[in-house]
Amino acid sequence: MSVSPVVPHHIAIVMDGNGRWATRRFLPRLAGHKQGVDSLRRCARACAERGVAVLTVFAFSSENWNRPADEVSGLMELLALALAREVPQLKKDGVRLFFVGERAGLSPKVRDGLAQAEAATAENTRLVLNVCFNYGGRWDIAQAAAALAARGEPITEASLHGAMALAHVPDPDLVIRTGGEMRISNFLLWQVAYSELYFSDRLWPDFDESALDEAIAVYSARERRFGKTSEQIASAHPDTVAG
């Protein structure tokens, strides 16, 4: 009898490979980013259907400002268009949006769009979709420490954790990176301490439902010990049979 895979509560994804996807097709890089939006829409729907509660994606890092100016401006315009087009459907599908990252450097138009999208989906409960935009893991730790210091609160592991930009959700169970690269790239540095890591050679626009299912199956087969031994895990869950 087949056993259903254990579905992660929280999946985080580094959506890598949009530009290479476009280049291989002799298209401008922005065409790859547009295709990446379609892939994100498909992935969010698939996560909700499979019972994933939280999906966090790395959309634009704080280092991405160093890319060519035309690509950066195109990404900003794409974000504005995507918000206008996607938010009504996300609201209908029960997806709650959070945009995680530094907003001070964004234009008023983009900041207003992010706030409006969050407000429009605030009542949804089927899936939490965190879009990390102008985000960096080091920035997140630094802003959390600065916030605690400004309030005169002691900086401890627990207080720092509560001041993080993703404090509204549990830490990721599974982190997926597409595009064949095997690094974290300043993504959720604090939160991935005990996450399972999965690297896919597929470029993000090609990451479909079957690729998601493969990642979940690999995750399901792993033993998560959180610093304990296998024997301790087995004794705590006597009904679990080791494969």
Side-chain angles (χ1 to χ4, degrees):
M1 184 176 66
S2 62
V3 178
S4 299
V6 176
V7 176
H9 180 86
H10 182 177
I11 294 178
I13 304 178
V14 180
M15 305 181 295
D16 195 16
N18 291 331
R20 281 175 286 158
W21 183 91
T23 299
R24 291 176 186 180
R25 288 160 177 78
F26 304 102
L27 297 170
R29 288 176 58 87
L30 196 59
H33 294 301
K34 290 179 180 178
Q35 195 69 28
V37 172
D38 293 340
S39 187
L40 175 55
R41 182 195 311 116
R42 187 170 64 235
C43 184
R45 184 180 300 117
C47 282
E49 290 171 350
R50 285 152 181 76
V52 176
V54 183
L55 174 62
T56 300
V57 297
F58 207 4
F60 189 87
S61 77
S62 46
E63 290 81 15
N64 285 156
W65 292 107
N66 297 320
R67 292 188 175 189
D70 59 341
E71 182 174 351
V72 172
S73 62
L75 282 168
M76 292 299 159
E77 188 63 28
L78 178 60
L79 173 65
L81 291 172
L83 288 173
R85 186 182 68 188
E86 303 293 340
V87 168
Q89 187 61 47
L90 290 172
K91 182 178 180 180
K92 185 183 298 184
D93 291 342
V95 177
R96 182 173 186 181
L97 274 170
F98 286 91
F99 289 93
V100 181
E102 175 59 68
R103 299 194 189 186
L106 303 177
S107 71
K109 177 183 177 182
V110 170
R111 289 201 303 269
D112 289 346
L114 302 186
Q116 290 171 14
E118 288 180 332
T121 61
E123 302 301 318
N124 289 347
T125 58
R126 188 182 184 200
L127 175 74
V128 171
L129 175 56
N130 299 305
V131 179
C132 293
F133 195 85
N134 197 24
Y135 172 89
R138 290 177 176 177
W139 163 85
D140 196 3
I141 296 170
Q143 68 82 27
L148 292 172
R151 298 196 294 263
E153 298 180 19
I155 297 176
T156 66
E157 236 184 84
S159 66
L160 202 58
H161 189 82
M164 289 285 168
L166 278 167
H168 58 283
V169 293
D171 289 345
D173 301 292
L174 172 64
V175 176
I176 299 169
R177 179 168 186 150
T178 63
E181 305 291 353
M182 296 187 181
R183 55 180 177 268
I184 297 299
S185 295
N186 200 19
F187 183 49
L188 305 182
L189 297 182
W190 178 273
Q191 295 88 351
V192 302
Y194 282 102
S195 303
E196 295 297 321
L197 306 180
Y198 177 85
F199 300 99
S200 171
D201 288 333
R202 296 199 196 196
L203 303 178
W204 175 243
D206 296 326
F207 193 85
D208 57 13
E209 292 86 349
S210 66
L212 177 66
D213 288 337
E214 181 180 339
I216 291 174
V218 170
Y219 165 84
S220 182
R222 294 182 185 176
E223 180 184 67
R224 306 188 72 202
R225 296 192 294 274
F226 299 97
K228 298 180 180 180
T229 66
S230 296
E231 290 74 18
Q232 287 176 301
I233 298 297
S235 63
H237 302 281
D239 295 332
T240 302
V241 179

